[in-house]
Structures are given as C-alpha cells and as structure tokens.
Amino acid sequence: MHRIDTSTAQVDKFGSGKNGFTGGNPQTGELPTALDADYFDSLQEELAAVIEAAGITLDKNKNNQLYTAIKSQFNAGRLIGIKVITSSGLYIPSVGAKKGKARAVGGGAGGGGGPAAGSSQQSCAQGGQCGSYAEVLFDISAASYAVTIGAAGVAGTASAAGTAGGATTLAGIFSCPGGSPGSQGIASSATITVSNNAANSTYATISSGTALINLPASPGEPFIVLGVLSGQLRGGRGGSNPFGIGGSPGAFGPGTVGRGFGSGGGGCSQGQGGAGDVGGAGLPGIMVIEEYA
C-alpha cells in the first residue's frame, strides 16, 4: 500500500514523507487532492487480501466481510474449552472447536499379593505398572467421539498376581494401553532375592493426529528380601505417570493404592511367620482435552 502521491496531495500532512488529502480552497486557488488508479488499486488489494486470506470469497452484496475476516483471525488458535473425562462415554466438542490437544493415561495395574512366610522366611511382592501416557494434537472433525477410560487393575490376593489396567482410548485418534500387573510374591529365606518387573515397551497407538509425547508404562518396582532379619524387606512401589503417583509398598502388610490417575498399586510384604497378604489396587485412567478455535 502507499500514501496518496498525486501532484495535488497535501505534502507532509502527517509528518515528514506522510502525505494526506485536502479539499482545496477556491479562494486561494488551491486544488483538491486528485485521486488516481494506482491509489485505488492499492487500497482495494490491501483490503481484499485480508478477506481472502481468511478463506472468504469476495461478495459485492456484503459490506461486513473485512470485519468477519479480522474477527476470524483474532479467534484462530484461541483456547475455548477444557474437558476432563474420567468415565467412558461420548466426548462432544464445544461449538467452534477446530483442534484438540488430548492428554491421557491408561489404567494402572494391581500390585502383587504374597504368600504366607515361614518362621525363617519373609514374603514380598511386586508393584503394578502405571498405564501408558500420551499427548496428541488432532483435528476436531466429528460431532462426537467415543471415549473409553482404562479400568483400574485389581489387587493381587495372597496367592495371585494383580490384574492389568485397561486401555484409555479416543475413538479414531489414539489408544493408551493399561499397565501390566505386579507378579505374585514369593516367600524366601535367601540373603537377597530380587524380582524385576517385566519390561513393557508398549506405547500409545496413534491412529490420527500428531503425538507430542508418547511414554510407555512405567514399571512397578521389584520386591527385595534381605535375609530373614526383621525389617530388612519391602515390596515394590507401583509405577507413576504424569497424572498419578504409584502406591507404596506394604510395610509388613498389604500394598497401598496410589494417588491421582493411572498409577500402579504397591506390592505387599510380610515378615517372618506373617500371613499372606494382598497388593494395592491400580487406579483408573483419565483423559483431558484442551479445545482450540
């Protein structure tokens, strides 16, 4: 664009080099500012460019297209809603939402239970894994999306492992697997016994959109037995994730439930002659969706 530069423009009206217009003065012979095609073409194309950049087709019969275009550009990318989803059902996007950023975690697994310990033994069990975690940016193109929140894994009994957590899914976009369970513990009189949680390299499956963060399930801790000395043992802590902290290992008792969402339950532990005990339960998953215009 340019300021008027015809021979009858008012020179430096708005400062040095900033010409303006004048209506002229018949008494002094001053001519009004003449207009030329260059000026009108420049003005036309500057205005049309704003409207067309907003994806609007020029319409001779509408006089608010520049306003509509500017308004649309200011609204683009604006955060218009946050949905916190803790139970399975339908996600219905807010009016005007065009993009979503979803953060989710699968259900946490239950910690393992442990058998009774003999008079010269101690018993410990493994913590459960947390669910897999992901952050995904996606286009909102449907009126609704089915959501499944991963179920919590059940705590293991004295004679069993815990159970796995369920997957948290946004239909057609992504799925975060739940954690693997803590294994059943053992009773031992060995000086040191360590059992590691099986490696879990399962990441979220991204069907549509862009993965911003994709983390596999954090393993539950191993359990450790240090001889048969009173107090020298512990079960495994449950796995943690950005939404939750894993359950603590039992202190001569059952494993505990964690805090937040998607974390694994702790494994139990028992001293010499202790009865078998249960692990801690996992926690269900969650999904948080930020909506943008």
Side-chain angles (χ1 to χ4, degrees):
M1 190 171 183
H2 68 278
R3 289 186 169 89
I4 189 68
D5 59 0
T6 57
S7 61
T8 50
Q10 184 172 340
V11 178
D12 298 338
K13 182 177 182 179
F14 301 105
S16 179
K18 298 180 180 180
N19 296 347
F21 294 85
T22 177
N25 187 339
Q27 293 179 346
T28 63
E30 180 185 8
L31 295 174
T33 301
L35 304 176
D36 61 3
D38 286 344
Y39 180 77
F40 281 110
D41 284 343
S42 175
L43 183 61
Q44 169 186 280
E45 292 308 303
E46 288 281 350
L47 296 174
V50 176
I51 297 170
E52 292 175 332
I56 301 171
T57 301
L58 296 176
D59 188 336
K60 185 177 182 179
N61 297 312
K62 294 182 179 179
N63 296 321
N64 65 343
Q65 289 188 292
L66 180 61
Y67 166 76
T68 301
I70 293 173
K71 183 179 178 181
S72 71
Q73 294 306 304
F74 275 110
N75 284 337
R78 179 171 57 92
L79 178 66
I80 61 174
I82 299 177
K83 303 289 180 65
V84 179
I85 305 172
T86 57
S87 59
S88 299
L90 284 180
Y91 158 56
I92 299 176
S94 299
V95 175
K98 296 179 180 178
K99 283 191 175 291
K101 177 185 175 183
R103 298 184 294 139
V105 67
S119 59
S120 61
Q121 295 180 318
Q122 296 186 121
S123 173
C124 293
Q126 183 182 56
Q129 292 179 335
C130 70
S132 298
Y133 174 86
E135 295 184 11
V136 179
L137 184 66
F138 65 99
D139 292 327
I140 295 177
S141 57
S144 64
Y145 296 84
V147 173
T148 301
I149 298 299
V154 177
T157 66
S159 59
T163 66
T168 294
T169 64
L170 182 61
I173 308 298
F174 69 96
S175 177
C176 293
S180 296
S183 63
Q184 180 189 8
I186 60 171
S188 176
S189 59
T191 302
I192 299 177
T193 301
V194 178
S195 176
N196 289 310
N197 199 279
N200 183 353
S201 58
T202 302
Y203 291 80
T205 300
I206 313 299
S207 302
S208 179
T210 302
L212 304 177
I213 298 176
N214 195 352
L215 302 175
S218 172
E221 291 182 339
F223 59 83
I224 302 174
V225 177
L226 302 177
V228 293
L229 300 176
S230 177
Q232 303 299 303
L233 80 164
R234 68 175 177 84
R237 178 180 293 275
S240 299
N241 68 83
F243 277 121
I245 300 172
S248 300
F252 296 97
T256 65
V257 178
R259 288 177 288 173
F261 298 89
S263 56
C268 73
S269 65
Q270 276 292 346
Q272 298 173 58
D277 227 324
V278 299
L283 287 173
I286 188 173
M287 184 178 298
V288 177
I289 302 176
E290 299 173 3
E291 302 171 316
Y292 297 87

